[in-house]
Amino acid sequence: MGPAEIVASLKELCVDEGPRLTTQQIVEWIEQNHGFEPDSELVAYAKKMKARQYARQLMFDDEETGLRVKRLWSVQDRDTGERHYHDIASLSDDRRQKLIQQYVRFSDQLKSLRRAMADYYAGQCFFDFYIEDDLEAEHEPAIPSRA
């Protein structure tokens, strides 16, 4: 069973196990359906995932704003499919500040989305409330300017 088949057939697991799946249940289901590669391929894949996890943990401390932002950003090459990491420390100051401002804006939107989804699954339907917060935030600067 290949990756596309696993993803496509995961809906069976969702129907069988109900709405509260755990990662361990998904792992066990993939094992039962022989969806994992041979051990050597699985170990190589796990090493790549661990390397990506470490890359995501490297932070850039912005002295101007006092924010901590992911330092390495991966981009997949369209032609080769290889992943390359770009270091925001190597960007010009202006370009880096613009990137950090956009990062703050989008991360705030993502936090709102996560809160809204958590509230929704807790039985509260407050989507309009979160949308109003985002509309108000659009009119405010994302990062306070240095005086």
Side-chain angles (χ1 to χ4, degrees):
M1 184 183 294
E5 294 170 313
I6 291 171
V7 172
S9 60
L10 265 176
K11 60 183 151 192
E12 295 172 21
L13 180 64
C14 295
V15 170
D16 293 343
E17 297 297 325
R20 296 179 60 103
L21 285 174
T22 64
T23 303
Q24 188 59 36
Q25 286 174 303
I26 295 172
V27 168
E28 290 168 3
W29 181 82
I30 293 171
E31 284 177 344
Q32 290 170 0
N33 289 287
H34 309 289
F36 287 120
E37 294 90 7
D39 285 344
S40 61
E41 290 178 27
L42 193 57
V43 167
Y45 182 75
K47 286 179 180 179
K48 276 192 210 175
M49 293 300 106
K50 195 65 175 175
R52 290 179 185 168
Q53 178 186 12
Y54 289 140
R56 285 191 302 269
Q57 290 176 356
L58 182 62
M59 301 301 280
F60 175 81
D61 294 318
D62 186 41
E63 293 175 6
E64 254 185 69
T65 61
L67 296 173
R68 291 177 51 102
V69 178
K70 278 182 22 177
R71 181 171 172 165
L72 297 176
W73 292 86
S74 66
V75 177
Q76 192 167 9
D77 186 294
R78 291 180 186 166
D79 299 330
T80 65
E82 291 182 8
R83 189 170 297 275
H84 299 276
Y85 289 90
H86 295 273
D87 185 354
I88 68 168
S90 65
L91 296 174
S92 68
D93 290 341
D94 292 340
R95 193 162 175 214
R96 185 174 46 252
Q97 287 307 312
K98 185 173 182 175
L99 180 133
I100 290 172
Q101 286 179 338
Q102 292 299 317
Y103 175 83
V104 169
R105 181 172 177 229
F106 289 126
S107 66
D108 286 346
Q109 290 174 348
L110 185 58
K111 287 176 191 173
S112 291
L113 174 64
R114 287 182 178 150
R115 282 194 312 262
M117 294 304 291
D119 286 348
Y120 180 82
Y121 281 107
Q124 304 166 348
C125 297
F126 293 144
F127 285 126
D128 292 336
F129 173 76
Y130 290 107
I131 292 171
E132 288 172 12
D133 281 354
D134 284 343
L135 292 175
E136 290 173 11
E138 284 182 12
H139 299 292
E140 299 172 10
I143 297 175
S145 59
R146 225 170 81 178

